[in-house]
Amino acid sequence: MSCTMDFAFCPLCGGKKINFVDNKKWVCSDCGFDLYHNVAAAVNVIIADKNGFVLFEKRAKEPRKNFLALPGGFVDADEGAEQAAMRECKEEAGLIIQRVTYLCSLPNTYEYKNIVYKTCDTFYTADLPTGIESVTSLTKTLCAQKSEVQEFVAVRIYDERSLNAVPFAFENARNGLRIWLETRQ
């Protein structure tokens, strides 16, 4: 999949000879300007209980509105991935995470408003908050960021079949959860 965005004019010199090359950058042959289409960093947080119930968010917006996603999002400028994971949980769910543990990273493709972004998705695990015994009870205590989340859902993930039954917003969540499943066996 290649980038679907083309510039009509070079943002530096205004020339019309700007092209997307090597599936990674725009180059203006008039002035030599390069603009790289770098990989964006994204985070996902797997919060599960001892019975294998995982916390999901039902998306409130496109892309993939009404499908399930893990808490997470893009890393902001001047922010580490771990901080982004904890921030996203707080913003989207009002959930204060004390610590996240790195699980894996996977390449991904994310299309938004007809522009294709390549991402590096990092996956973290986090413990349930103190005093909460199950993801099902956790879903009742969370406060959804209405612009991002319709509701919270607890889904039991225990094997490949249960994983394949989830209507994921993004296929990479399935891939990350597959690795998570392997660590639990």
Side-chain angles (χ1 to χ4, degrees), residues 21-88:
V21 297
D22 299 328
N23 200 29
K24 68 179 180 180
K25 66 179 180 176
W26 291 270
V27 176
C28 176
S29 57
D30 284 340
C31 71
F33 174 75
D34 290 343
L35 175 63
Y36 282 86
H37 190 53
N38 292 328
V39 171
V43 295
N44 297 269
V45 183
I46 300 169
I47 301 169
D49 63 27
K50 63 184 177 189
N51 295 316
F53 282 90
V54 176
L55 176 67
F56 288 99
E57 302 171 345
K58 187 173 184 183
R59 288 181 57 83
K61 68 177 191 176
E62 297 296 345
R64 308 288 290 163
K65 182 178 179 178
N66 298 321
F67 286 84
L68 300 184
L70 293 167
F74 288 100
V75 178
D76 288 342
D78 301 320
E79 180 179 52
E82 293 83 1
Q83 290 78 24
M86 291 185 285
R87 174 186 51 78
E88 286 287 349

Side-chain angles (χ1 to χ4, degrees), residues 90-152:
K90 184 177 180 185
E91 286 178 1
E92 293 178 352
L95 181 58
I96 306 297
I97 298 294
Q98 300 300 320
R99 181 178 59 103
V100 293
T101 302
Y102 176 79
L103 177 66
C104 66
S105 65
L106 298 166
N108 198 13
T109 300
Y110 182 85
E111 186 173 341
Y112 181 67
K113 294 189 177 183
N114 297 320
I115 298 176
V116 175
Y117 297 91
K118 294 295 185 174
T119 65
C120 179
D121 293 357
T122 54
F123 290 83
Y124 294 92
T125 59
D127 293 332
L128 289 169
T130 303
I132 303 290
E133 296 295 322
S134 72
V135 170
T136 302
S137 63
L138 177 64
T139 62
K140 297 172 183 151
T141 68
L142 300 176
C143 181
Q145 180 183 23
K146 296 297 182 189
S147 63
E148 299 281 332
V149 179
Q150 289 182 38
E151 66 179 311
F152 298 99

Side-chain angles (χ1 to χ4, degrees), residues 46 103-104 106 123 172-181:
I46 300 169
L103 177 66
C104 66
L106 298 166
F123 290 83
N172 231 20
R174 188 182 324 274
N175 298 331
L177 281 162
R178 190 171 284 122
I179 292 168
W180 171 78
L181 267 177

Side-chain angles (χ1 to χ4, degrees), residues 68 155-157 159-168 174:
L68 300 184
V155 178
R156 187 164 180 243
I157 306 292
D159 64 6
E160 189 69 25
R161 187 173 180 189
S162 64
L163 189 61
N164 288 334
V166 177
F168 284 108
R174 188 182 324 274

